[in-house]
Amino acid sequence: MLMNLFCSSPLLAAAAPRRGFWMPEQASTVSGEIDSIFMLITWISVFFFVLIVVLMGYFMVKYRRVEGHKSAASPSHNTPLELTWTIIPVIIVIVIFYMGMTGYINLRSVPVDAYEIDVTAQKWGWTFQHPSGAIETETLTIPKGRPVRLMMTSQDVLHSLFIPAFRVKQDVVPGRYTYLWFEASATGRYDLFCTEYCGTGHATMGAVVEVYEEDEFEEKLEELLRWIEDIPEERLFVAGKRLYNRCVQCHSLDGAPGIGPSFRETHELWGQERRLADGRTVTVDENYVKESIIYPAQDITEGYGNLMPSFRGQLRERELRALVQFIRHLDRFDDEGNLLEEWQ
Amino acid sequence: MSTLSTHPSGTNYLNHTRGIMSWIFTLDHKRIGMMYLCSVLLSFFVGGMLAVLIRLQLWSPEASLFTQDQYNQIFTLHGAIMVFLVIIPSIPAALGNFVLPIMLGAKDVAFPRLNLFSYHLWVVGALVFLLALVTGGLDTGWTFYTPYSTDTDSAMGGVIPALTAAFILGFSSIFTGMNFIVTIHRLRPPGMTWFRMPLFLWAIYATAIIQVLATPVLGITLMLLAVERAFGIGIFDPSLGGDPVLYQHFFWFYSHPAVYIMILPAMGIISELISIHSHKHIFGYKFIAFSSIAIAIFGFLVWGHHMFTSGQSSLMNVIFSFITFSVSIPSAIKVFNWLATMYKGSISLNTPMLYALSFIFIFSIGGLTGLHLGTLATDIHLHDTYFVVAHFHYVMMGSALLAMIGGMHHWWPKMTGKMYSEFWGRIGCGLVFLGFNLTFFPQFMLGSQGMPRRYAQYDDYLPETVQLFEFYHQLSTIGSLVMAAGFFLTAGYLLHSIFFGVRAPANPWGGRSLEWQCASPPPHDNFAETPTVGDCYDFSVLEWDEKEQGYTWREDVPRPGEEGTG
Amino acid sequence: MNNDRSKTSSPESHDDHHGVGHVVPIRYLVLNGIALLILTVITVAAAQIDFTQWDIYELNVIGAIAIATVKAVLVCLFFMHLFWDRRFNSFVLVSSIAFVGLFMALAMLDTSEYADDKIRGDSENIQRLLEEARSASGSAE
Amino acid sequence: MSHSHEQHGHGDHPEHLGHHWDNLQQQFEAGKLGMWLFLATEVLLFGGLFVAYAVWRGNNPELYAYGSEYLDVTMGAVNTVILILSSLTMAMAVTYAQLNRQKALLVCLILTFLGACGFMLIKFFEYSDKIQEGILPGAAFYDPPPNLEASNYWNPDLPIIDRHTLLALRIEAAEREREGRPAQIDRPRFGEVSSVAPAAVGPAGFDPDAVRARHVRGEKSKVHPLQDPNRPVNAHMFFNIYFMMTGLHGIHVLVGMIVIGWLIYRAALGHFGSDYFTPVDLGGLYWHIVDLIWIFLFPLFYLI
Ligand code: HEA
Ligand code: HEA
Ligand code: CUA
Ligand SMILES: [Cu+2]
């Protein structure tokens, strides 16, 4: 019965077949070890708790005050006894500490060949960027059986990336990089939470981790890059909006200059002359925008530095076109980047 | 020596002067203590009602009662009120103020004017807190983490008033602590040596050390934060080159020791309650006394355990995890000593004793789950989930606050001169105990299953997750209603006793510390004559007096003064 | 009753009791003041020495702090009477400093450990501010 | 209060003795202990700022080497002397109070007060200088001085060194080098672009060694920080801490002036004497801690 209670609850078995009573399903290589540390501490706690409560209950009943009964004389201190219950906990906590530390060192030691994903947190959403350039926001697609390392930073306030099934968590801090690694050990879909309070949307700042077998994963990744093929040519600007994720740090949509000129400005100059830093002028058109993305250093816009990374090789032809269409038809979006009603 | 056992014939501190002004500007530590008690209970009521709103919101996953912004304000206010207005002043400033000088055998605390000033600061702090509500609300969480709190686009407008309020409340707490340290050092009457002090005083003393040494750091932290938010200077704000993790060091350097400000006096109360209501000498006096000091000191070394996932370096994580465990040892010592005190005692299951037993039960759970959190590998999973919420409610609400309620029952006859209904007292305690565990135990599972804290809703996730969370949240909500019922009942019979209660004897429980030697309620100057001090845990000299309905000195035993000690 | 209190609570024995507390002769105070002024001169002078030429950059810092500490000790002992006071008062002061030291040591250790994770260079916000300053001052080019 | 006197029946209760004390010695010592505890809280209050100082200094020593050049050592040194002297007069005041020398007590207190005024006056000049030059903490640091012509540092011929200017300088320097001419900027180094994501790049072209060397040679940087290609990243951080610490210290001096003013008032009324001088003593302790903190602030900001 007790065992049942602590390992898996029959009550909840139907709801969540793979969950334990305490811990969610084990889906990463470290979860087993962490769960066993957790259970060890829990059992130690149960032992002491039961010991204390049983003694307390027993004394409560046995030495209950009855008429005429006086408290029996018993020593008011006993140093050996007191030292005993000092030293035993000391030993126990040292063991616990040690196990916790080794488990933690595992959690922080990234295997060298880890698959790297860049993570950017923003109020209130995540952007995951794969090495191939594929970007996702609602899901995090990863392979099973391959170590994955997340390099994370935040655009605004603190966030924290938490995947209960993997037993990993790390705050995402603006102005610096933090990392996290794990190796999924079971395919499936798992929750990803934001666990550092970040304001209004904190409770909904989640995503789903999707773990696939290696070959399936490659396919998914392809798909992530290919999604754009499925969008009809005349609505490519919508796809461009999605790709804009990668430009958002430097280009705004509301006209405010950032590291680079706002796309709103570029849009408004469409078909007109643009002054460059070296004094030349150039007409803002499809070609110019494309060139700007692939060879940013060629035409430095006046008032800005040569800071834009080249996206050559990272964007395919159709994606490029989508971005161009997006900038060209920016009047179909509002300043926050939402599609206006009539274009939905 | 007539005052030792008979009813007061003349005035007491309650009626010796009259009029509201005689209270607001009183210098009498007992009146100040009572004013603190009322204020703290009022704040507790407000904070508790906010807690009930939290629970109602979380009844269903889509949580339709409040918007996310409203919910964020509610839990922030709940946490901030409970921490800064309730639990930190509760035992030291309210009960401590009342009993400390009497227990010590002094006429007052060392600096009565400063004491009153502390209380006035508390009131001002509370009012400024209200200002935060009208200036746009407060939604940062009680931890005020940067850059959220310093970014005027993120956090609501009430941050600076709230920081000011916490700053003022901090100084209120500092002055109380200073006052107590000086009182204990300089106002012990002849015979009251350090090791004759009741353990409650040791606990208050250890608490005062923390109050004096840790709270100023909170002061400067809040000041920096306010300047940061008002002028954008960039010590903590990364958008100006600052370091948000440094802020967390600053915050927890105060706030971890602060949790021991909450629990140490509670432990002191429990030492008194267990011993007095078991009518047995406390076991291991010195171990308990020194463990209080040890907790106070070690408590300063572990703040980083709140930052295991914050981006703190791995090296520091390991160091802090290691030291964290050192605080659990003195706590363990105390728990075992309390048990040993009960052994072969003669235990009266009075309401205060029931609270003390609840304390041991609940504190064991709360403290032991602290081990899960102090362990690095598991805290990574548990941090910022409901497991932490459950942990700290077990230690703050279930331990510190229940100890305070227990202590309040224990000294209620002394404070008000009236006995409350023992029957309803036990029922109330039972309801609170059951409701409490029903509220917070499910939150452990909720947390270890991954439910993050500070979530206004939880419907956005995988269906089976949501279903599981919902189940536990509902248990928790039901529990909180039971607990609320228990507290309302308690408030009811206590109020009733003030007006209709039986007159209390000087010593209803059979305590030997000095406060039981003066009348109930005590006279203005506490003692007509300087009391004589003996072993305050030697109960063999007292006996039940039927006429008195309280304990009196045994006829056949000489008093310490008479036998020539002292 | 008062006797044993006042015995334990009177300060050290060389108290020649004008009322309560210890009277510090003006002579001592003036000497102390002069010592402090001399040390101030030394600090300023020491800061001019170029320790960097021998590749020991931090000596300036250490030296300055050491001298400041000596000055602080002088102020505490004589101006603030700690030399004659109860030891407990000194203990209070020393422990407050010790706790600051503790806080400082652990915070510095941590921040230096993770310093490498920080993103280098001016933050975006500061870049924006500079940009604004540039266009406001009109001094560009 | 009179009420309580009757109650505990101490007929011989001295005038300044609170009703809950046995004797003056006990009360005096309690006051003193209370004050020392308060001073401990002051130490921790400032301690927080010292920690901020140490953390930034430990990781970015160049900020301090750079920033301190904009402070005026003479003013700082004069202020140190003033505070030490006023501490001396304060300590003397305590002795005179204990010796019942009313006149000397009053003179010493007034001298102390004047010292405090002098300190604040010099602080006022220092601060207004900084405001004039636009050398301010936080975001305000990145505003050019309010009055460009009046500024001692501003060089109208130089651009503000922002990212773009720095870039231009870099290109120019590279070209010069190629043409065999010496580079004009001192070994500029640039913020590294992380491999992970396009990082913010800023004027990181700061060479601590060069600045140290210049500092030691006694050369002041004559350029406004905004125009200085050697300005370290986050140069404002030095001024954040400078203003926070000296500002908080200044507030303490102001409070000290109120306290001393009150002591002067009471001393003038002849309230203090050998049996009652606690306020002078405690006020003195407070004043000394203010001095003590300045003793550290002076070298930490102005000298190193
Ligand atoms: C009264 C308040 C109080 C008390 C007493 C404690 C006591 C302890 N706390 Fe708790 N804690 C809080 C209030 C408190 N805490 C709060 C408010 C938070 C969250 C703040 C926030 O984020 O908002 C928190 C969070 C918190 C964390 C951070 C969790 C996280 O955010 O990730 C950690 C981690 O180490 C921790 C650990 C401990 C430990 C080890 C103890 C120990 O002192 C416990 C010692 C007690 C025992 C161990 C039990 C008794 C002993 C026995 C029964 C004998 C057997 C013992 C052994 C074998 C060792 N606490
Ligand atoms: C002492 C501190 C304390 C106390 C007592 C409580 C009490 C309660 N708390 Fe609170 N809580 C905190 C401190 C406390 N809490 C803190 C610090 C946080 C973190 C905030 C943050 O994240 O920033 C928190 C957060 C918190 C959360 C998490 C919110 C979130 O993360 O989204 C929840 C959720 O269930 C909760 C619930 C409760 C409940 C149901 C009670 C109940 O126990 C309340 C019961 C009380 C009553 C119902 C009032 C009845 C009173 C009277 C009738 C008058 C009393 C008179 C007499 C007895 C005489 N609390
Ligand atoms: Cu993002 Cu919480
Ligand atoms: Cu803690």
Side-chain angles (χ1 to χ4, degrees):
Chain A
M1 176 62 208
L2 204 62
M3 199 61 206
N4 243 351
L5 193 69
F6 284 100
C7 295
S8 70
S9 161
L11 189 69
L12 300 163
R18 288 169 302 163
R19 281 172 192 268
F21 177 75
W22 289 108
M23 288 294 203
E25 59 272 56
Q26 301 182 341
S28 76
T29 47
V30 292
S31 10
E33 183 191 352
I34 288 171
D35 287 8
S36 57
I37 300 174
F38 181 92
M39 288 321 295
L40 174 82
I41 304 172
T42 306
W43 281 115
I44 292 176
S45 302
V46 168
F47 170 78
F48 277 100
F49 175 69
V50 169
L51 179 79
I52 289 166
V53 170
V54 164
L55 280 177
M56 187 173 94
Y58 176 72
F59 294 163
M60 227 166 97
V61 177
K62 175 90 194 293
Y63 303 117
R64 197 155 35 94
R65 189 165 185 88
V66 281
E67 253 349 282
H69 169 80
K70 286 262 152 51
S71 66
S74 66
S76 68
H77 70 100
N78 179 336
T79 308
L81 190 61
E82 286 169 76
L83 284 179
T84 314
W85 63 51
T86 309
I87 289 165
I88 292 181
V90 169
I91 297 170
I92 292 175
V93 295
I94 287 178
V95 172
I96 296 177
F97 160 74
Y98 182 75
M99 297 185 64
M101 185 188 75
T102 47
Y104 175 73
I105 288 174
N106 268 350
L107 280 175
R108 299 311 290 166
S109 318
V110 193
V112 274
D113 56 342
Y115 178 82
E116 277 219 14
I117 299 179
D118 289 346
V119 180
T120 313
Q122 253 167 317
K123 285 189 243 170
W124 292 276
W126 302 94
T127 310
F128 306 104
Q129 181 172 356
H130 292 264
S132 70
I135 287 189
E136 28 179 5
T137 50
E138 301 299 311
T139 54
L140 169 60
T141 309
I142 53 161
K144 186 186 135 183
R146 179 136 58 112
V148 175
R149 164 175 153 120
L150 307 183
M151 281 306 284
M152 311 189 288
T153 190
S154 163
Q155 295 290 314
D156 37 47
V157 299
L158 298 177
H159 301 274
S160 184
L161 192 146
F162 176 35
I163 308 173
F166 295 171
R167 317 282 189 270
V168 291
K169 179 182 293 131
Q170 176 63 51
D171 281 15
V172 183
V173 185
R176 68 182 268 201
Y177 290 106
T178 53
Y179 70 91
L180 196 61
W181 86 271
F182 46 77
E183 183 182 329
S185 60
T187 57
R189 287 161 59 81
Y190 308 100
D191 283 308
L192 183 154
F193 297 105
C194 173
T195 45
E196 187 61 66
Y197 176 68
C198 54
T200 314
H202 170 59
T204 48
M205 186 173 162
V208 177
V209 184
E210 296 187 345
V211 184
Y212 295 101
E213 296 290 352
E214 191 74 42
D215 43 350
E216 214 179 332
F217 169 73
E218 297 297 341
E219 248 168 59
K220 279 282 162 190
L221 215 53
E222 273 299 295
E223 211 172 280
L224 275 177
L225 286 167
R226 220 178 39 226
W227 58 274
I228 197 163
E229 314 292 336
D230 308 334
I231 295 179
E233 191 66 36
E234 67 275 13
R235 285 192 60 85
L236 260 189
F237 59 91
V238 185
K241 170 65 197 6
R242 222 173 125 177
L243 290 165
Y244 167 69
N245 270 330
R246 299 162 75 169
C247 328
V248 65
Q249 303 144 2
C250 307
H251 298 281
S252 74
L253 293 183
D254 57 5
I259 296 175
S262 172
F263 282 167
R264 187 66 65 185
E265 193 189 339
T266 316
H267 165 77
E268 273 155 11
L269 285 173
W270 202 267
Q272 294 163 8
E273 300 281 290
R274 180 62 139 154
R275 280 180 61 90
L276 299 183
D278 54 8
R280 289 182 295 130
T281 52
V282 54
T283 316
V284 178
D285 55 15
E286 230 167 273
N287 198 35
Y288 166 69
V289 170
K290 246 189 220 176
E291 294 275 295
S292 293
I293 300 172
I294 297 180
Y295 305 109
Q298 223 169 48
D299 298 331
I300 310 283
T301 313
E302 187 186 15
Y304 296 90
N306 179 16
L307 291 167
M308 176 163 161
S310 165
F311 287 87
R312 187 162 35 142
Q314 293 188 30
L315 292 167
R316 281 156 308 153
E317 182 53 31
R318 197 175 169 81
E319 288 171 337
L320 262 180
R321 268 212 316 282
L323 276 168
V324 173
Q325 291 303 317
F326 171 62
I327 295 174
R328 172 162 195 182
H329 297 297
L330 205 55
D331 51 340
R332 297 172 185 176
F333 296 84
D334 65 15
D335 281 356
E336 259 100 64
N338 301 315
L339 202 52
L340 298 178
E341 295 268 335
E342 61 263 39
W343 291 100
Q344 275 169 6
Chain B
M1 285 286 166
S2 57
T3 47
L4 285 187
S5 51
T6 55
H7 283 298
S9 44
T11 60
N12 58 46
Y13 82 100
L14 290 168
N15 62 13
H16 106 114
T17 48
R18 284 182 192 283
I20 182 90
M21 286 303 157
S22 77
W23 278 83
I24 295 181
F25 295 106
T26 180
L27 294 180
D28 182 355
H29 69 97
K30 297 182 289 301
R31 287 192 169 188
I32 296 173
M34 287 306 275
M35 290 195 295
Y36 260 120
L37 186 66
C38 296
S39 317
V40 162
L41 286 178
L42 186 70
S43 315
F44 174 55
F45 174 72
V46 176
M49 288 303 114
L50 290 168
V52 172
L53 294 184
I54 295 180
R55 290 304 338 146
L56 291 178
Q57 161 91 348
L58 296 173
W59 174 264
S60 63
E62 58 281 0
S64 39
L65 201 53
F66 301 106
T67 65
Q68 301 198 345
D69 276 334
Q70 285 167 338
Y71 178 85
N72 293 344
Q73 290 192 62
I74 292 176
F75 79 71
T76 302
L77 279 180
H78 164 71
I81 289 180
M82 286 298 196
V83 170
F84 294 117
L85 289 175
V86 178
I87 196 103
I88 288 187
S90 68
I91 300 180
L95 297 179
N97 241 322
F98 190 94
V99 294
L100 175 134
I102 317 187
M103 273 188 161
L104 208 56
K107 295 197 185 82
D108 208 325
V109 293
F111 311 117
R113 249 173 258 279
L114 186 66
N115 199 16
L116 180 66
F117 182 58
S118 300
Y119 176 67
H120 288 167
L121 276 184
W122 187 95
V123 175
V124 173
L127 292 178
V128 179
F129 229 115
L130 289 183
L131 204 62
L133 293 187
V134 294
T135 53
L138 178 68
D139 68 338
T140 58
W142 81 283
T143 47
F144 300 112
Y145 271 15
T146 49
Y148 187 77
S149 57
T150 50
D151 180 356
T152 38
D153 297 335
S154 316
M156 295 175 179
V159 175
I160 290 184
L163 295 174
T164 316
F167 183 86
I168 295 172
L169 292 168
F171 272 86
S172 162
S173 165
I174 289 177
F175 291 142
T176 306
M178 270 168 54
N179 223 333
F180 288 172
I181 294 188
V182 177
T183 309
I184 290 178
H185 268 274
R186 290 281 166 269
L187 273 175
R188 273 177 292 120
M192 179 59 87
T193 59
W194 282 93
F195 291 110
R196 277 193 178 167
M197 290 198 313
L199 286 165
F200 182 55
L201 297 189
W202 273 96
I204 292 274
Y205 184 77
T207 309
I209 294 177
I210 312 178
Q211 283 174 306
V212 168
L213 287 179
T215 320
V217 177
L218 176 75
I220 194 69
T221 311
L222 298 177
M223 223 145 87
L224 279 170
L225 208 56
V227 174
E228 178 95 58
R229 183 174 167 98
F231 305 112
I233 63 163
I235 288 182
F236 297 138
D237 180 356
S239 78
L240 284 167
D243 186 344
V245 179
L246 184 64
Y247 169 76
Q248 297 175 28
H249 279 296
F250 271 72
F251 182 81
W252 291 114
F253 184 81
Y254 164 73
S255 290
H256 180 81
V259 311
Y260 296 111
I261 296 179
M262 307 168 190
I263 202 70
L264 277 172
M267 291 167 157
I269 288 188
I270 298 305
S271 301
E272 299 296 313
L273 298 195
I274 296 278
S275 170
I276 292 180
H277 294 273
S278 301
H279 303 277
K280 186 164 160 281
H281 197 290
I282 189 85
F283 186 88
Y285 177 96
K286 285 197 178 172
F287 265 75
I288 298 186
F290 285 127
S291 65
S292 290
I293 306 290
I295 292 177
I297 307 287
F298 286 143
F300 276 98
L301 302 168
V302 307
W303 74 84
H305 68 204
H306 296 272
M307 302 164 56
F308 286 161
T309 69
S310 70
Q312 182 172 247
S313 60
S314 304
L315 172 70
M316 292 312 290
N317 278 350
V318 171
I319 294 175
F320 278 125
S321 167
F322 183 75
I323 314 175
T324 293
F325 288 104
S326 68
V327 244
S328 39
I329 305 303
S331 309
I333 293 175
K334 284 180 193 266
V335 172
F336 292 126
N337 278 318
W338 292 326
L339 284 181
T341 304
M342 288 170 68
Y343 173 67
K344 287 197 178 169
S346 168
I347 301 172
S348 320
L349 293 177
N350 300 318
T351 312
M353 184 64 177
L354 289 181
Y355 275 106
L357 297 175
S358 308
F359 176 96
I360 297 185
F361 183 100
I362 292 172
F363 179 70
S364 300
I365 298 181
L368 288 165
T369 49
L371 301 180
H372 294 82
L373 297 175
T375 309
L376 271 170
T378 46
D379 183 68
I380 300 298
H381 178 66
L382 298 172
H383 172 74
D384 264 346
T385 65
Y386 265 77
F387 196 92
V388 179
V389 175
H391 158 74
F392 70 69
H393 281 92
Y394 262 81
V395 279
M396 291 210 284
M397 159 84 217
S399 309
L401 211 112
L402 285 197
M404 127 106 182
I405 305 273
M408 197 172 85
H409 281 84
H410 182 70
W411 284 300
W412 189 260
K414 189 56 59 184
M415 293 189 293
T416 63
K418 297 294 172 61
M419 298 300 290
Y420 52 83
S421 154
E422 198 53 59
F423 174 75
W424 288 111
R426 289 175 195 175
I427 304 258
C429 178
L431 275 179
V432 169
F433 178 77
L434 287 178
F436 174 83
N437 283 294
L438 185 55
T439 309
F440 293 111
F441 202 79
Q443 294 188 359
F444 284 120
M445 284 80 86
L446 204 48
S448 63
Q449 292 285 1
M451 170 81 198
R453 60 193 279 210
R454 296 173 172 174
Y455 265 28
Q457 60 192 70
Y458 47 97
D459 58 343
D460 230 21
Y461 301 93
L462 297 178
E464 70 262 22
T465 315
V466 174
Q467 211 179 337
L468 182 79
F469 288 175
E470 186 180 11
F471 170 73
Y472 285 131
H473 271 305
Q474 294 188 349
L475 283 185
S476 180
T477 304
I478 296 170
S480 70
L481 297 177
V482 175
M483 182 168 32
F487 278 122
F488 276 110
L489 178 68
T490 308
Y493 70 75
L494 285 180
L495 281 176
H496 178 271
S497 80
I498 291 184
F499 300 107
F500 309 106
V502 194
R503 254 188 122 29
N507 192 355
W509 318 118
R512 255 212 74 183
S513 42
L514 298 185
E515 81 272 26
W516 304 113
Q517 291 188 30
C518 68
S520 302
H524 173 69
D525 255 347
N526 299 347
F527 301 98
E529 299 158 41
T530 313
T532 45
V533 185
D535 179 349
C536 62
Y537 293 106
D538 176 12
F539 303 108
S540 60
V541 298
L542 299 174
E543 68 185 359
W544 176 255
D545 181 339
E546 200 57 46
K547 186 166 101 294
E548 218 15 62
Q549 283 294 302
Y551 285 81
T552 52
W553 200 273
R554 265 166 59 183
E555 303 286 315
D556 49 336
V557 181
R559 290 173 192 277
E562 293 163 11
E563 65 193 20
T565 54
Chain C
M1 173 186 92
N2 289 348
N3 276 349
D4 69 274
R5 284 295 306 163
S6 43
K7 203 186 290 155
T8 52
S9 53
S10 81
E12 308 305 304
S13 48
H14 46 244
D15 177 8
D16 42 0
H17 254 295
H18 300 262
V20 287
H22 182 271
V23 181
V24 184
I26 297 289
R27 193 176 67 249
Y28 286 17
L29 297 177
V30 172
L31 281 177
N32 195 34
I34 292 173
L36 289 172
L37 291 177
I38 293 174
L39 285 171
T40 307
V41 174
I42 295 180
T43 338
V44 178
Q48 311 305 318
I49 302 173
D50 178 13
F51 291 105
T52 53
Q53 55 187 317
W54 305 295
D55 264 9
I56 33 180
Y57 295 133
E58 293 306 332
L59 204 65
N60 274 330
V61 187
I62 296 167
I65 293 177
I67 298 175
T69 309
V70 173
K71 287 164 77 178
V73 170
L74 288 179
V75 171
C76 289
L77 283 184
F78 302 107
F79 283 174
M80 301 173 93
H81 297 194
L82 275 184
F83 187 74
W84 299 276
D85 245 1
R86 281 176 166 269
R87 287 289 163 267
F88 190 75
N89 290 350
S90 313
F91 176 72
V92 170
L93 180 68
V94 169
S95 46
S96 69
I97 294 169
F99 277 95
V100 174
L102 169 88
F103 182 20
M104 194 181 283
L106 292 182
M108 281 180 81
L109 185 56
D110 185 42
T111 49
S112 63
E113 275 286 307
Y114 66 66
D116 284 348
D117 301 344
K118 288 203 182 167
I119 298 175
R120 305 275 177 86
D122 283 335
S123 74
E124 272 171 44
N125 189 26
I126 291 179
Q127 293 179 31
R128 188 180 50 76
L129 289 169
L130 279 168
E131 205 105 4
E132 281 170 17
R134 199 170 71 125
S135 46
S137 82
S139 73
E141 303 324 311
Chain D
M1 268 291 105
S2 59
H3 202 94
S4 56
H5 276 250
E6 288 154 28
Q7 277 205 347
H8 59 69
H10 276 264
D12 54 337
H13 217 80
E15 185 192 350
H16 298 293
L17 188 58
H19 77 287
H20 52 297
W21 301 104
D22 292 335
N23 56 44
L24 280 171
Q25 178 74 29
Q26 189 194 18
Q27 185 180 19
F28 170 74
E29 294 215 339
K32 204 135 185 182
L33 176 58
M35 194 64 199
W36 275 107
L37 288 168
F38 178 71
L39 297 187
T41 68
E42 291 282 4
V43 169
L44 279 138
L45 189 77
F46 275 98
L49 290 174
F50 277 106
V51 171
Y53 178 102
V55 161
W56 285 100
R57 183 171 193 119
N59 295 315
N60 303 78
E62 74 279 6
L63 295 180
Y64 292 76
Y66 183 82
S68 70
E69 300 200 346
Y70 288 88
L71 301 185
D72 189 328
V73 183
T74 322
M75 287 199 186
V78 171
N79 257 349
T80 312
V81 172
I82 290 180
L83 269 196
I84 288 177
L85 289 177
S86 77
S87 234
L88 172 63
T89 51
M90 189 74 225
M92 286 160 65
V94 176
T95 301
Y96 286 129
Q98 287 169 312
L99 297 175
N100 255 334
R101 306 245 319 251
Q102 300 290 344
K103 189 127 316 104
L105 162 66
L106 198 58
V107 169
C108 280
L109 285 176
I110 290 174
L111 284 177
T112 314
F113 189 82
L114 289 179
C117 292
F119 180 89
M120 285 315 283
L121 198 69
I122 292 183
K123 240 342 6 135
F124 170 78
F125 285 131
E126 272 192 272
Y127 270 32
S128 48
D129 240 34
K130 294 280 164 299
I131 293 168
Q132 259 300 311
E133 298 289 352
I135 302 182
L136 292 170
F141 181 82
Y142 295 97
D143 292 339
N147 183 351
L148 295 181
E149 277 93 66
S151 163
N152 291 320
Y153 296 128
W154 193 263
N155 182 345
D157 302 330
L158 291 177
I160 288 183
I161 302 293
D162 63 357
R163 191 166 30 88
H164 306 296
T165 333
L166 202 61
L167 217 65
L169 285 173
R170 180 174 67 169
I171 295 166
E172 207 181 313
E175 272 165 9
R176 270 180 231 277
E177 206 146 15
R178 213 175 310 135
E179 290 165 22
R181 273 180 286 155
Q184 288 225 320
I185 339 172
D186 247 2
R187 282 168 55 203
R189 268 200 266 122
F190 293 90
E192 291 156 37
V193 183
S194 158
S195 62
V196 180
V201 183
F206 173 73
D207 181 355
D209 299 336
V211 170
R212 269 203 200 92
R214 249 186 323 139
H215 179 60
V216 167
R217 285 198 304 273
E219 295 168 22
K220 285 284 158 196
S221 36
K222 289 284 185 287
V223 216
H224 192 276
L226 289 187
Q227 299 178 313
D228 187 350
N230 274 324
R231 179 187 76 238
V233 174
N234 292 331
H236 64 289
M237 201 59 74
F238 174 82
F239 297 98
N240 287 349
I241 295 172
Y242 165 77
F243 276 100
M244 288 303 293
M245 293 190 85
T246 54
L248 188 64
H249 180 263
I251 292 173
H252 277 77
V253 175
L254 286 179
V255 172
M257 286 168 72
I258 296 173
V259 171
I260 298 167
W262 174 74
L263 289 177
I264 291 175
Y265 169 75
R266 291 195 59 185
L269 294 181
H271 283 184
F272 304 124
S274 57
D275 59 343
Y276 182 64
F277 58 89
T278 313
V280 187
D281 198 28
L282 301 191
L285 286 179
Y286 174 81
W287 189 246
H288 295 313
I289 203 101
V290 173
D291 177 28
L292 225 152
I293 287 164
W294 183 258
I295 285 180
F296 281 97
L297 293 189
F298 170 58
L300 286 181
F301 282 109
Y302 292 78
L303 295 183
I304 49 181

